[in-house]
Amino acid sequence: MNCNPLISLGLGFFLFNNFLFFVSNADTGPSCPKTSPFVGFESKFTMVRHQVRGFLTIVDDCSFRVSQFDMLSGSDVHFWGSNAPDFDNFTNGFMISDYKLNETYKNASFSVKLSRNVTWDRIQVLSICDLLTESDFGHVILSNGSDLAPTLSPDMAPSPASNYSRGEEGKFGPFRVTTTFDNCKVLSNDYRIRWSLNLERDFIDIGLEAAIAIQNYMAFGWADPKANSEVMIGGDVAVAGFTDEGMPFVDDFYITKYSECTINKDGSAHGVCPDTIYEGSDPVGLVNNTKLIYGHRKDGVSFIRYRRPMVSVDTKYDLPVNYTEKMTVIWALGLMRPPDTFRPYYSPQNHGGPMSVTYGHLVLNVSEQVNECLGPLDAANKEDQDLIIADANKPLVVTTGPAVHYPNPPNPSKVLYINKKEAPVLKVERGVPVRFSVQAGHDVALYITSDLIGGNATLRNKTETIYAGGPEAEGVLASPMELIWEPDRNTPDQVYYQSLYQKKMGWRVQVVDGGLSDMYNNSVLLDDQQVTFFWTLSKDSISIAARGEKKSGYIAIGFGIGMVNSYAYVGWVDDTGKGHVNSYWIDGRDASRVHPTNENLTNIRCKSENGILTFEFIRPLKPCSHNDRVECKNIIDPTTPLKVIWALGTKWSDEHLNEKNMHSETSHRPIRVLLMAGSAEAEQDLRPVLAVHGFMMFLSWGILLPGGILAARYLKHVKGDSWYQIHVSLQYSGLAILLLGLLFAVAELRGLNISSAHVKFGLAAIFLACVQPVNASMRPRKSTNGEEVSSKRRLWEYFHFIVGRSAIVVGIAALFSGMKHLGDRYGDENVHGYIWALILWFVIGTMIIMYLEYHEKQRRRDRVFGRSNWVLGNLEEDDSSDLLNPARASSQKDKQHSGLMEVQLEPLNR
């Protein structure tokens, strides 16, 4: 059976009963007795859907009265009787009255007459039922006081304490619902606070109720009486909301500053922080003094009930509530940041809206009776189910699991799960095949239907259209069945996936026109598979889209091998829900080095669905013809692999960027996207390659080449031409390693990009180093003893000296710029240590040169004054003479003209 009226009622009785009802407005008159033990029973409605609140009172054997009644309108709503509020009993129940409730009720009161042959002993649960959707909007469990009342619906958590009102427990029965209070105050159009005092036990129960998104928080508390115009500073507030798993929470917060909670390096905290963060821990519950009583999320309205002491033991962060005095209270609504590695708690972000809409304050005396809440809150978006976007390349795995947050209660205990999500909203695109992998068991056959209840509506004498599936669409994990469905232009915008054999196991399917899979010819998953990159090439432009695979505040993709020196496109949705896509040039690692550009982006779209961001745009392959603008250099060549990186973060802004806007997750390496081939390959990690290249360059410029110069400078006094052999060997060895290191880097990098300072210094140093052996091969003839040095020889000496020293200086600059380039590219923390080690090495080398230079000058001075060790018979050129020193050259010339020679004779047997 379903929620249909009893067909056994006779037409005459029906017309007569209906006539009496409308004439008397359910005034039962003196003829209705009061013999039922339920007469006088009074209880509150348990809210299940449509924001039902109110009191039910049984007047006599024939009627009952509803007072202070709130409810959002339905399609075909009636009072319903059943044995229990669970799915099987509810669907096998019966309509108990012809009274229709198809409108929105605001604090209404009215009487209702039971239908003929309906008595109170047949009703265990009195519900408000929508016949079209077979939904339980709310119910009351009847009790005559002698028996224990039946257990509550699985959809409602029982209250920790039983509350009684306007009567004794034995007569009226317990009040088990926690959504009603003694007082209610309107804070804004979408936000209310309800409360009840318990002076005997010194606590106050508070209910926060707001028509907000599930990602938003509700905050309420007391202002510091000593606060001036900034009433929220020093405030003691409770922040409530729902976790990513849909579970309610409430935490005790203290406000020291108008900012999100920030923990300093010394462990101290400031901003809007939980009390436990200020203290570091709360092992015995002395700091967090808010106690969650109950919470639910229904019809797009968040409701949290919590309890706090009037006077807390925590005098440092909690304020005492004086119920006899007027006190200033503060409140706010806004987005909530989920926990992460750095903030292991749900943190409220700035409300970001106008006063009295998303935040405010007022004076309140909690002991005064207030009831300003007339009617239910009506949210614009009444559904919070997870959204799954179908992808033609990935099957949707259909299984079954326990019903926890099914959107249309009552429901069976087992419902359909898609990709491990309970009864999600499924979004598909016309023209894109949808693949289901059905693993729900042999007793569950999947089908796509026009009926929102499912269970094969044709068997219930209702018309339905079946778009896919049927008895054959069943399978198990070991042997899944693949069902392929391709929505077409004739498919309605909304259909349902259901079980063929059981009602209310599935949920809605949104059918939309187009999507990323349709609009773009190619797509690849970028590094770490957290961002998908889509593109379509045209003659002069490229259409690009990026979608994050996890919740984030913004998504960014960049063209380059790293964050530094890259062109980035950032998409985000601001506090007003508007999407943005901006382009940037990044030339550093801090926020000040992120520069907006004026690229010609068209067809810009950015949206967030359940925290998953997607942005799209079209840009020309060649942005502009002007070379003086940085964005004009961001040219995309379809024949060349495009290196793409990504980043995800919590918050972005189009102005006043700071360190908080920096990313929290990034790709570890770029992906080389082959635009024309429609494929991608991972960029190789070049750090080992660059390390070998750097070592070879250090060996050449830091050891071999300087060593060869030192040999030519300070070893000429050694007998024979040993200095010359050492000089030539070191120079040619250094040059060979230098060229090998260059070829190694060019081969691994697959080309040579001369845009960086390091490459420019390196190429200049290599050129100078290669000039030296060419110059050495053109060395002029040496002069004989007593012959004046030729001008060609002297010019050669000058050139050889200047080029050699210049090569060393430029080579050292290349070493240091290479270290900086490595740090900019990979952010290696060891780079600074390497740079200091390199500086220390050259400082030591400089000290050694100073020492050698000092002794060389001493040796030359001794030679001038006659203490030379020149050997008789050595007719080789004395290359120890500094031809570049005019004074020295003049001295040698004078000695030759004087005809005097000091000869030191040495034994022949030496």
Side-chain angles (χ1 to χ4, degrees):
M1 295 179 62
N2 54 28
C3 300
N4 291 324
L6 292 175
I7 60 175
S8 58
L9 293 177
L11 180 61
F13 287 110
F14 173 78
L15 295 175
F16 179 73
N17 190 34
N18 201 39
F19 172 77
L20 290 179
F21 172 77
F22 284 107
V23 171
S24 62
N25 192 23
D27 185 4
T28 59
S31 62
C32 190
K34 297 183 179 181
T35 60
S36 172
F38 288 97
V39 173
F41 173 85
E42 182 177 315
S43 180
K44 301 175 184 177
F45 278 97
T46 297
M47 181 191 299
V48 180
R49 290 191 67 194
H50 280 236
Q51 300 300 298
V52 166
R53 277 190 178 90
F55 293 88
L56 178 139
T57 304
I58 296 180
V59 178
D60 51 35
D61 294 352
C62 310
S63 64
F64 59 94
R65 182 167 181 81
V66 176
S67 58
Q68 300 180 36
F69 184 68
D70 290 348
M71 188 190 76
L72 296 175
S73 63
S75 54
D76 190 12
V77 187
H78 293 262
F79 288 104
W80 190 257
S82 62
N83 292 330
D86 61 90
F87 176 72
D88 291 333
N89 281 284
F90 182 85
T91 54
N92 288 318
F94 52 95
M95 194 166 67
I96 66 173
S97 174
D98 299 314
Y99 194 94
K100 293 186 177 181
L101 302 96
N102 294 338
E103 59 185 87
T104 296
Y105 290 85
K106 299 180 180 180
N107 201 33
S109 297
F110 52 89
S111 296
V112 179
K113 185 175 179 63
L114 295 179
S115 299
R116 291 280 184 169
N117 299 329
V118 176
T119 57
W120 290 115
D121 56 355
R122 295 181 55 194
I123 304 173
Q124 299 271 338
V125 177
L126 189 152
S127 304
I128 299 172
C129 172
D130 188 306
L131 302 182
L132 180 64
T133 61
E134 294 193 6
S135 298
D136 179 13
F137 286 3
H139 57 256
V140 170
I141 300 175
L142 303 186
S143 171
N144 60 11
S146 59
D147 299 321
L148 292 176
T151 58
L152 288 174
S153 166
D155 187 69
M156 293 292 294
S159 173
S162 295
N163 298 324
Y164 304 94
S165 176
R166 294 187 289 178
E168 299 177 357
E169 177 182 358
K171 183 176 181 180
F172 298 118
F175 288 89
R176 296 173 177 265
V177 189
T178 58
T179 60
T180 53
F181 296 79
D182 297 333
N183 306 277
C184 185
K185 179 75 174 178
V186 174
L187 301 178
S188 72
N189 291 336
D190 296 324
Y191 191 19
R192 298 170 175 179
I193 174 180
R194 302 174 185 268
W195 75 93
S196 296
L197 291 176
N198 190 322
L199 300 180
E200 296 179 357
R201 299 176 59 185
D202 193 36
F203 66 75
I204 180 172
D205 274 0
I206 297 175
L208 304 181
E209 183 181 33
I212 53 177
I214 194 171
Q215 300 91 355
N216 288 34
Y217 69 87
M218 302 176 290
F220 178 83
W222 276 262
D224 185 355
K226 301 177 183 178
N228 46 25
S229 58
E230 297 182 345
V231 294
M232 290 194 177
I233 300 299
D236 169 25
V237 298
V239 176
F242 291 85
T243 66
D244 290 339
E245 294 77 25
M247 301 304 294
F249 74 89
V250 61
D251 283 321
D252 199 358
F253 276 66
Y254 183 73
I255 304 174
T256 62
K257 189 177 179 181
Y258 290 138
S259 65
E260 293 184 49
C261 185
T262 301
I263 303 176
N264 303 319
K265 293 182 179 180
D266 60 358
S268 61
H270 66 270
V272 184
C273 300
D275 292 1
T276 52
I277 295 299
Y278 292 109
E279 289 300 306
S281 64
D282 187 22
V284 294
L286 298 179
V287 178
N288 187 0
N289 293 294
T290 58
K291 179 182 178 182
L292 176 67
I293 303 297
Y294 173 77
H296 69 226
R297 173 83 184 165
K298 300 178 186 296
D299 311 304
V301 176
S302 295
F303 176 82
I304 301 289
R305 179 170 184 150
Y306 68 93
R307 179 174 296 169
R308 62 152 290 169
M310 306 285 280
V311 179
S312 172
V313 295
D314 175 20
T315 58
K316 190 174 182 180
Y317 302 110
D318 287 353
L319 296 172
V321 178
N322 191 336
Y323 67 92
T324 62
E325 295 183 359
K326 292 185 177 181
M327 301 183 67
T328 301
V329 295
I330 53 180
W331 60 270
L333 301 171
L335 286 174
M336 181 169 53
R337 186 194 304 277
D340 53 32
T341 305
F342 306 101
R343 296 183 176 92
Y345 51 87
Y346 284 88
S347 175
Q349 301 181 38
N350 293 336
H351 40 74
M355 186 174 180
S356 300
V357 176
T358 59
Y359 75 100
H361 60 87
L362 66 151
V363 176
L364 186 67
N365 186 337
V366 295
S367 63
E368 295 179 356
Q369 292 294 316
V370 179
N371 187 14
E372 297 180 352
C373 308
L374 301 180
L377 287 175
D378 192 359
N381 183 9
K382 295 181 172 58
E383 189 171 46
D384 296 320
Q385 293 301 107
D386 288 322
L387 176 68
I388 292 182
I389 301 175
D391 190 333
N393 299 319
K394 295 181 180 179
L396 301 172
V397 179
V398 181
T399 57
T400 57
V404 181
H405 299 292
Y406 188 77
N408 184 26
N411 47 267
S413 59
K414 182 175 70 172
V415 298
L416 292 178
Y417 279 62
I418 295 183
N419 291 356
K420 300 182 179 181
K421 297 182 181 295
E422 179 192 359
V425 175
L426 181 60
K427 188 174 183 179
V428 301
E429 302 166 1
R430 292 183 175 89
V432 178
V434 182
R435 290 193 299 150
F436 296 93
S437 177
V438 185
Q439 307 171 15
H442 296 302
D443 59 339
V444 177
L446 179 72
Y447 79 126
I448 309 300
T449 174
S450 60
D451 184 68
L452 66 87
I453 302 299
N456 200 351
T458 55
L459 298 179
R460 306 194 308 272
N461 297 321
K462 290 189 176 182
T463 59
E464 69 173 337
T465 302
I466 299 177
Y467 301 96
E472 71 284 354
E474 51 89 7
V476 294
L477 178 61
S479 179
M481 188 274 178
E482 184 176 73
L483 172 65
I484 299 179
W485 168 49
E486 183 173 338
D488 56 30
R489 60 190 307 173
N490 297 319
T491 307
D493 291 341
Q494 181 165 291
V495 293
Y496 305 88
Y497 63 92
Q498 293 286 357
S499 168
L500 189 68
Y501 304 129
Q502 174 69 61
K503 295 187 296 183
K504 300 178 72 171
M505 289 189 68
W507 195 230
R508 296 191 297 114
V509 181
Q510 294 179 359
V511 184
V512 298
D513 288 325
L516 297 180
S517 301
D518 281 341
M519 295 173 61
Y520 297 91
N521 297 335
N522 311 280
S523 66
V524 295
L525 275 171
L526 300 181
D527 184 47
D528 292 337
Q529 299 187 351
Q530 296 196 41
V531 173
T532 305
F533 181 70
F534 301 83
W535 77 95
T536 296
L537 281 172
S538 300
K539 180 179 179 181
D540 299 317
S541 65
I542 181 173
S543 301
I544 292 175
R547 181 180 69 208
E549 302 300 329
K550 63 188 300 184
K551 295 180 179 181
S552 62
Y554 72 84
I555 177 176
I557 57 170
F559 298 161
I561 58 176
M563 183 180 73
V564 178
N565 296 327
S566 68
Y567 294 93
Y569 301 91
V570 183
W572 78 99
V573 176
D574 60 24
D575 295 335
T576 65
K578 182 181 179 181
H580 302 265
V581 178
N582 279 7
S583 59
Y584 301 89
W585 162 250
I586 304 175
D587 59 3
R589 290 191 166 274
D590 54 70
S592 63
R593 309 305 294 273
V594 180
H595 311 289
T597 62
N598 295 316
E599 281 200 40
N600 183 23
L601 305 183
T602 58
N603 293 81
I604 293 175
R605 289 183 291 271
C606 182
K607 60 182 178 180
S608 175
E609 294 179 332
N610 290 337
I612 303 298
L613 274 172
T614 302
F615 72 78
E616 306 170 65
F617 63 88
I618 299 176
R619 53 148 290 176
L621 297 176
K622 187 176 181 181
C624 48
S625 58
H626 306 286
N627 294 326
D628 56 339
R629 292 162 50 186
V630 66
E631 60 266 22
C632 296
K633 300 178 182 179
N634 186 18
I635 298 174
I636 295 180
D637 182 3
T639 64
T640 303
L642 181 66
K643 297 178 181 179
V644 184
I645 56 176
W646 61 264
L648 298 175
T650 56
K651 188 176 183 180
W652 193 263
S653 173
D654 55 358
E655 57 184 14
H656 306 303
L657 295 178
N658 53 49
E659 297 303 322
K660 294 181 179 179
N661 301 123
M662 296 296 96
H663 50 72
S664 57
E665 292 190 52
T666 64
S667 52
H668 292 90
R669 58 181 176 177
I671 293 293
R672 293 162 51 92
V673 178
L674 309 177
L675 296 174
M676 299 190 69
S679 60
E681 60 184 22
E683 179 81 358
Q684 184 182 0
D685 189 353
L686 295 175
R687 275 177 285 192
V689 175
L690 298 180
V692 174
H693 167 78
F695 175 77
M696 297 173 76
M697 292 303 178
F698 171 75
L699 183 62
S700 179
W701 290 114
I703 299 178
L704 297 178
L705 294 177
I709 294 177
L710 293 180
R713 176 69 177 169
Y714 301 113
L715 294 181
K716 290 181 179 179
H717 64 282
V718 178
K719 181 180 179 180
D721 61 348
S722 300
W723 70 269
Y724 182 78
Q725 299 298 330
I726 295 174
H727 171 72
V728 172
S729 299
L730 291 178
Q731 296 301 93
Y732 278 109
S733 298
L735 185 59
I737 294 177
L738 187 68
L739 295 175
L740 184 61
L742 173 64
L743 294 176
F744 186 76
V746 171
E748 292 297 329
L749 292 171
R750 301 183 183 182
L752 188 62
N753 186 357
I754 61 174
S755 61
S756 68
H758 169 65
V759 176
K760 293 176 182 177
F761 277 123
L763 291 178
I766 292 173
F767 173 79
L768 294 174
C770 292
V771 167
Q772 287 297 74
V774 176
N775 182 31
S777 66
M778 302 171 61
R779 182 183 186 189
R781 183 185 65 83
K782 59 185 177 182
S783 60
T784 57
N785 290 340
E787 183 180 356
E788 183 178 0
V789 179
S790 65
S791 59
K792 290 184 178 180
R793 175 74 180 194
R794 191 176 302 278
L795 181 62
W796 179 87
E797 290 282 353
Y798 273 110
F799 186 82
H800 195 67
F801 173 89
I802 293 173
V803 172
R805 269 61 170 183
S806 299
I808 292 297
V809 172
V810 178
I812 292 174
L815 287 178
F816 281 100
S817 63
M819 288 292 183
K820 183 179 183 301
H821 184 66
L822 182 66
D824 291 341
R825 178 166 184 158
Y826 292 107
D828 197 338
E829 297 178 355
N830 298 323
V831 167
H832 293 294
Y834 296 152
I835 292 177
W836 281 109
L838 199 61
I839 293 174
L840 180 61
W841 172 261
F842 285 113
V843 168
I844 294 174
T846 303
M847 296 175 64
I848 293 175
I849 291 173
M850 294 173 62
Y851 175 79
L852 294 175
E853 188 68 19
Y854 173 78
H855 281 275
E856 178 65 15
K857 289 185 179 297
Q858 287 291 106
R859 187 173 57 79
R860 291 180 179 177
R861 188 180 297 111
D862 293 342
R863 185 184 300 115
V864 171
F865 291 102
R867 291 189 294 273
S868 173
N869 291 329
W870 185 75
V871 180
L872 179 64
N874 184 2
L875 300 178
E876 295 293 325
E877 178 185 6
D878 183 9
D879 279 310
S880 64
S881 300
D882 191 353
L883 299 180
L884 302 178
N885 190 332
R888 178 61 180 160
S890 176
S891 174
Q892 291 286 19
K893 184 176 180 179
D894 292 341
K895 286 183 66 177
Q896 292 172 359
H897 286 190
S898 66
L900 297 177
M901 179 180 295
E902 182 177 298
V903 179
Q904 178 178 341
L905 299 179
E906 294 184 357
L908 295 176
N909 60 354
R910 182 180 177 181

